[in-house]
Amino acid sequence: MERKFVFGVAVSGYNFTGRKAETERLLTDFRNGVNVILMSPRRLGKTSLVRHVCGLVSPTELITVYVDIFGCKTEYEFYNKLAAAVLQQTASRKELWLEEAKDFIYRLSPKISFSPDPNIQFSVSLGISPKTHTPEEILSLVEQIAERKGKRIVVCIDEFQQIGEIADSKQVQARLRSVWQHQQRTSYCLFGSKHHLMGSIFLNRSMPFYQFGDLIVLDKISTADWTDYIVTHFADGNRSISPTLAAEICTLVDNYSAYVQQLSWLVFTLTKEGDTVTRAHLQAAMNELLATNDILFMQMVEPLSEYQMNFIRAIIDGINDNFGRSQVREKYRLGSYSNINRLKKALLERDIITVKGDEITLTDPVFGKWFERKMMV
């Protein structure tokens, strides 16, 4: 039996909805060897979209490799993660000691472990270091495998903004691009959860990855798509929700995919088979959503200065630009004019705010509702 709503992990199949245009565009890019940069704020379903498209591609057509580099703090941590994922996901058990990778791994003593899970064939720990391989050797591995297999490979790298936070980041980025841009059988899909860091890597003319590929800015799934999805899923669970209340679920969390799924699930758990969802169910579920995130949001605000808290209060009150105006600075006690840029930078680095042009908004709509309830004075 399919779970009705899924959040916190990538979704697929029954729990994937919308994204028809984005799916077609990404699929076309994959099939034609076009590099892709996928950008959006957190919780809009980037990973789910990429996984969904990977699942639509036949292995006889091309091979997809997925690697999450969250937690990689150094250049060689990234190389180890990348090489292990490539070796693991381009080989079967029979091909464990890849003929294609023989020249690459002979200097290593890789640790290989098998999983009882039939969906996970094996894991590889390589121990790559500057003494065993140059960056160029590691970055060329996937292209060598693609050539020897006679297939195309798409490497999907999640949390790619981590590259921007390692030491000598610009030099590392230059090394990556200098190798990747010449590969004929390998293309890359690069995406991450920190929108401003991804922007600094891909939208800055002075950075190596500027204009690296097809830039896709992921928007929210429409309320119409979500409404059909929610109503259908409740009906499948022998419950009833009106399109009006289904749409209200979306409105409460500003159509952020993960939160739409989570709030829908909380409403679902508050009802029984045969029940019809009421606004009281919806309000109780919203209260539970805020309570569930209470500890996380408290951890977010504890390190903030009073000025930074006041900046957030201004945004919640509807101020989205012109924070330097004397009336705004005085009303919200933001300090001097020169302090505004420091506040924006600090909150951007903490991924609390998003800046689009001159407009500043909170990155997380549920955090905004929690802050308004808990911290507004």
Side-chain angles (χ1 to χ4, degrees):
M1 180 179 175
E2 294 275 10
R3 179 175 164 183
K4 294 298 176 285
F5 301 96
V6 175
F7 54 92
V9 296
V11 301
S12 60
Y14 178 69
N15 283 294
F16 186 89
T17 190
R19 302 288 187 219
K20 291 182 180 178
E22 297 93 333
T23 295
E24 287 302 317
R25 181 171 170 183
L26 201 56
L27 194 56
T28 299
D29 286 342
F30 280 18
R31 286 172 170 161
N32 287 278
V34 177
N35 295 318
V36 179
I37 299 98
L38 186 60
M39 294 178 58
S40 79
R42 291 181 298 164
R43 299 187 176 92
L44 287 190
K46 293 181 292 297
T47 301
S48 294
L49 173 61
V50 172
R51 293 278 203 177
H52 173 65
V53 173
C54 288
L56 297 176
V57 176
S58 167
T60 59
E61 181 181 7
L62 57 85
I63 300 170
T64 59
V65 173
Y66 170 85
V67 54
D68 185 340
I69 65 169
F70 183 78
C72 290
K73 303 298 183 185
T74 68
E75 182 178 3
Y76 268 81
E77 284 182 6
F78 165 67
Y79 293 150
N80 272 278
K81 261 293 186 63
L82 178 64
V86 168
L87 290 175
Q88 180 182 352
Q89 296 175 47
T90 59
S92 68
R93 284 177 182 262
K94 292 180 180 179
E95 299 172 314
L96 187 55
W97 294 102
L98 284 172
E99 182 65 27
E100 294 90 338
K102 181 172 62 177
D103 296 338
F104 181 84
I105 63 177
Y106 85 94
R107 284 166 279 176
L108 302 170
S109 297
K111 297 178 181 178
I112 300 168
S113 57
F114 292 92
S115 171
D117 185 342
N119 296 315
I120 303 175
Q121 293 186 327
F122 60 88
S123 62
V124 182
S125 177
L126 296 174
I128 297 169
S129 73
K131 293 181 179 179
T132 64
H133 295 82
T134 67
E136 289 74 19
E137 286 179 293
I138 303 161
L139 297 171
S140 298
L141 171 65
V142 63
E143 180 75 355
Q144 292 171 8
I145 292 174
E147 288 174 352
R148 295 182 186 182
K149 282 182 173 292
K151 292 188 177 182
R152 290 198 54 263
I153 298 177
V154 181
V155 180
C156 305
I157 305 180
D158 203 345
E159 304 293 357
F160 191 77
Q161 77 279 343
Q162 292 296 121
I163 296 296
E165 299 191 294
I166 65 179
D168 300 319
S169 173
K170 190 170 183 178
Q171 293 180 15
V172 174
Q173 291 176 47
R175 277 195 284 274
L176 301 187
R177 177 154 189 169
S178 68
V179 176
W180 289 351
Q181 68 184 353
H182 297 297
Q183 295 179 345
Q184 300 299 309
R185 287 184 171 272
T186 307
S187 59
Y188 296 84
C189 176
L190 310 175
F191 54 111
S193 60
K194 292 188 177 179
H195 194 240
H196 73 286
L197 289 176
M198 290 289 288
S200 69
I201 293 173
F202 294 105
L203 304 181
N204 188 331
R205 291 176 180 270
S206 68
M207 298 300 286
F209 274 104
Y210 181 69
Q211 293 189 333
F212 178 67
D214 184 18
L215 176 63
I216 302 176
V217 180
L218 203 61
D219 205 351
K220 302 165 190 173
I221 295 173
S222 71
T223 298
D225 282 340
W226 275 126
T227 298
D228 290 343
Y229 172 87
I230 294 167
V231 169
T232 299
H233 276 51
F234 269 84
D236 289 347
N238 297 314
R239 294 158 172 80
S240 175
I241 184 171
S242 69
T244 299
L245 287 183
E248 194 167 324
I249 287 176
C250 303
T251 301
L252 282 169
V253 294
D254 199 20
N255 286 55
Y256 274 58
S257 300
Y259 283 138
V260 172
Q261 297 269 23
Q262 187 174 6
L263 184 56
S264 297
W265 172 248
L266 290 171
V267 174
F268 189 88
T269 62
L270 291 173
T271 57
K272 299 177 181 178
E273 290 192 18
D275 282 354
T276 297
V277 174
T278 67
R279 186 160 276 102
H281 289 126
L282 186 52
Q283 188 56 58
M286 190 65 204
N287 290 338
E288 181 62 26
L289 179 62
L290 294 172
T292 298
N293 286 280
D294 189 70
I295 294 176
L296 171 63
F297 293 154
M298 282 299 297
Q299 290 175 338
M300 288 172 59
V301 300
E302 279 176 357
L304 301 183
S305 69
E306 186 60 28
Y307 285 133
Q308 292 165 352
M309 296 282 281
N310 289 340
F311 198 95
I312 296 172
R313 292 184 178 104
I315 294 173
I316 290 174
D317 275 348
I319 307 297
N320 299 113
D321 56 13
N322 295 319
F323 286 85
R325 287 181 299 168
S326 58
Q327 301 97 314
V328 174
R329 288 188 288 110
E330 291 170 7
K331 179 178 180 180
Y332 293 99
R333 303 188 299 279
L334 300 177
S336 65
Y337 181 87
S338 62
N339 195 40
I340 300 301
N341 281 335
R342 289 193 290 270
L343 293 175
K344 287 197 292 187
K345 182 180 179 182
L347 293 172
L348 266 173
E349 289 175 349
R350 293 183 181 276
D351 204 30
I352 291 176
I353 63 172
T354 296
V355 179
K356 291 184 179 179
D358 294 328
E359 186 176 81
I360 300 174
T361 57
L362 294 178
T363 302
D364 188 323
V366 175
F367 170 74
K369 291 184 179 298
W370 175 88
F371 192 97
E372 185 174 14
R373 181 177 293 191
K374 289 265 189 171
M375 301 294 169
M376 295 295 279
V377 293

